[in-house]
Amino acid sequence: MSKVKIAPSILSANFAKMGEEVRSLEANGADIVHYDVMDGVFVNNITFGLKMLEDIRPHTSLPIDAHLMIVHPEKYVERFAKAGADYITVHYEACKENLKEVLLLIKSTGVKCGAVINPDTPVEKIADIIPLCDIVLVMSVFPGFGGQKFIPEALDKLRAIKEIIDKSGKEIELEIDGGVTEENVAQIKAAGANVIVAGSTVFKAQDRRAIIEKLKA
Ligand code: DX5
Ligand code: ZN
């Protein structure tokens, strides 16, 4: 299995000092910055978009993982790539039959591409597409907000996707997002995830270095 990477979600950061927050993640051992883009339509919340990404880009050398929770993500792919994303992930639920096309569009920009499924979407919906992905993201909460409770059925999905990845013989990363804590992270890793998003768990902690180390260990 590829090395476990911790991807703190800056959805739980202080938006008034985002540059500093991102620098602190890198200084404290994070591997990826998880960047949650919400449009108030695909999900019931609004966060940040292209300008914030451009502005934080010079503050870190860590890869930035743009998780697009927006309708018509294909309209924004090129601009997120240009703004400095290293990964762009798009929801099956937002793309449906165009998912393959959108993934290819992301790839064509030179950025790593990924498909995301919500807790109520079965793995079968993306099974054929998985070999095309650089990363597959399993939502373990319904997207929209940080601090929700982990939905344990996500573990079965991780195992099923891991099997497909292993069979493909390709180096595809497997990411989990939502409700990750010190208590459930061991199970999540055992189920095959190697990119672990953690928002509230990292930003609520007194000691960011210690919590990131614990999640990684
Ligand atoms: C949820 C977002 C997550 C969120 C995770 O819609 O996609 O990335 O920030 O937050 P926690 O780790 O607090 O569940
Ligand atoms: Zn996310």
Side-chain angles (χ1 to χ4, degrees), residues 16-38:
K17 45 175 193 177
M18 208 49 115
E20 197 182 306
E21 294 281 57
V22 164
R23 291 198 302 275
S24 133
L25 294 179
E26 183 161 1
N28 286 298
D31 300 288
I32 294 175
V33 175
H34 185 80
Y35 188 83
D36 284 308
V37 181
M38 304 185 187

Side-chain angles (χ1 to χ4, degrees), residues 93 117-122 138-143 151 153 157:
E93 301 82 10
I117 50 171
N118 273 343
D120 56 356
T121 298
V138 173
M139 291 307 300
S140 40
V141 298
F142 283 92
I151 298 172
E153 285 73 24
K157 286 190 183 172

Side-chain angles (χ1 to χ4, degrees), residues 33-73:
V33 175
H34 185 80
Y35 188 83
D36 284 308
V37 181
M38 304 185 187
D39 65 355
V41 180
F42 182 72
V43 289
N44 222 1
N45 198 4
I46 300 174
T47 54
F48 34 65
L50 294 158
K51 175 76 162 59
M52 175 78 87
L53 180 54
E54 272 169 30
D55 287 354
I56 64 168
R57 186 63 283 184
H59 289 269
T60 182
S61 58
L62 293 179
I64 298 178
D65 166 25
H67 173 195
L68 303 188
M69 289 162 275
I70 63 177
V71 295
H72 296 299

Side-chain angles (χ1 to χ4, degrees), residues 9 11-12 34 36 38 67 69 139 141-148 177-180 197-201:
S9 163
L11 178 61
S12 294
H34 185 80
D36 284 308
M38 304 185 187
H67 173 195
M69 289 162 275
M139 291 307 300
V141 298
F142 283 92
F145 299 89
Q148 302 181 73
D177 185 6
V180 174
V197 177
S200 45
T201 293

